[in-house]
Amino acid sequence: PNSSDLDELARRFHLHELQIEDCRHRPQPAKVDEYGSYMFAVLKHLVHKDQSPKFDDFDVFLGPNFLITVHEGDCAFLAKLCLRVQQNHVARLDRILYEITDLIVDDYLALLDDSAEDISKVESLVLERPEPRVLREIFRFKRRLIDLRRTASGMRDVMNAIIRREGGLTGDDLDPYFRDVYDHLVRAVDLIGTH
């Protein structure tokens, strides 16, 4: 985000200065904006730092003939995306945007699956030994789930906005794919409530 390359890309592709500012002043809420001939989205991808999951901004500019991503440092997610795009022989830029959102949400669901197992263990443990250490663990899970709910809800709104665009930068033939990602986000929010 702080690279001079971003300034060069902004100049070359006429990216709005406020969106460049959003890329540089992190974290931003998940959102999608259409500006002139391109779309700008702030997506929230999962990163694992110090054994705990965190959400980081993954910014995307999608134009008719360009797709620019902005992220901090080395990004394992981007390597996974490139591999998937190559394996699926994806050539369309709007389809790559779908692949990005699908991978992001798949990571949310994997985190929820892991959390379900951990929560089950803590539930058993709290009945046997309701000690302060166990209660701290419960509050740690609660904070993680609240953060995940906030993030998943914001991403759900982004997917809804992308689906509702008529004749935009994403082809109408991709609506079922984006709707599938939206459905996964609805399921994730429901699971978080259950947990």
Side-chain angles (χ1 to χ4, degrees):
N2 296 316
S3 168
S4 60
D5 292 341
L6 183 55
D7 295 320
E8 174 60 25
L9 289 168
R11 187 190 60 70
R12 186 180 305 169
F13 293 100
H14 310 288
L15 306 177
H16 196 279
E17 64 185 282
L18 291 175
Q19 294 162 342
I20 298 301
E21 186 178 310
D22 283 349
C23 291
R24 291 198 162 125
H25 295 97
R26 297 164 171 256
Q28 294 289 322
K31 67 178 182 175
V32 63
D33 294 324
E34 205 157 315
Y35 183 82
S37 62
Y38 70 88
M39 176 191 300
F40 171 67
V42 176
L43 308 175
K44 307 299 273 185
H45 77 108
L46 194 60
V47 293
H48 293 279
K49 292 182 180 175
D50 305 323
Q51 300 295 340
S52 81
K54 303 279 185 217
F55 294 96
D56 196 14
D57 291 3
F58 191 87
D59 304 317
V60 179
F61 293 90
L62 173 66
N65 59 353
F66 66 88
L67 185 137
I68 300 167
T69 62
V70 181
H71 53 85
E72 284 193 304
D74 290 334
C75 186
F77 171 78
L78 195 57
K80 191 169 28 169
L81 170 68
C82 289
L83 182 63
R84 184 187 243 189
V85 165
Q86 289 171 350
Q87 288 174 339
N88 294 337
H89 306 288
V90 177
R92 289 174 45 186
L93 297 174
D94 56 350
R95 178 66 190 239
I96 294 173
L97 177 64
Y98 157 72
E99 297 289 351
I100 291 169
T101 59
D102 190 47
L103 276 172
I104 286 173
V105 173
D106 285 350
D107 285 346
Y108 292 3
L109 293 172
L111 177 63
L112 279 169
D113 287 344
D114 292 344
S115 294
E117 291 175 27
D118 293 340
I119 289 170
S120 180
K121 290 174 189 173
V122 169
E123 284 175 338
S124 299
L125 194 59
V126 78
L127 293 173
E128 295 170 19
R129 291 176 280 145
E131 301 168 349
R133 181 185 63 77
V134 177
L135 295 176
R136 278 193 300 276
E137 188 71 10
I138 290 170
F139 285 117
R140 187 177 67 79
F141 280 125
K142 183 177 179 182
R143 280 191 300 274
R144 180 191 298 174
L145 289 171
I146 288 169
D147 193 29
L148 181 54
R149 181 180 62 205
R150 185 179 322 114
T151 300
S153 295
M155 287 290 292
R156 181 185 57 196
D157 294 343
V158 167
M159 287 301 99
N160 192 31
I162 289 172
I163 293 166
R164 290 176 179 259
R165 280 183 164 56
E166 295 285 327
L169 291 162
T170 57
D172 291 341
D173 61 320
L174 291 179
D175 282 353
Y177 295 93
F178 285 111
R179 219 174 278 116
D180 182 59
V181 174
Y182 176 85
D183 291 343
H184 288 166
L185 285 162
V186 168
R187 184 172 145 244
V189 171
D190 289 345
L191 277 172
I192 292 165
T194 301
H195 290 334

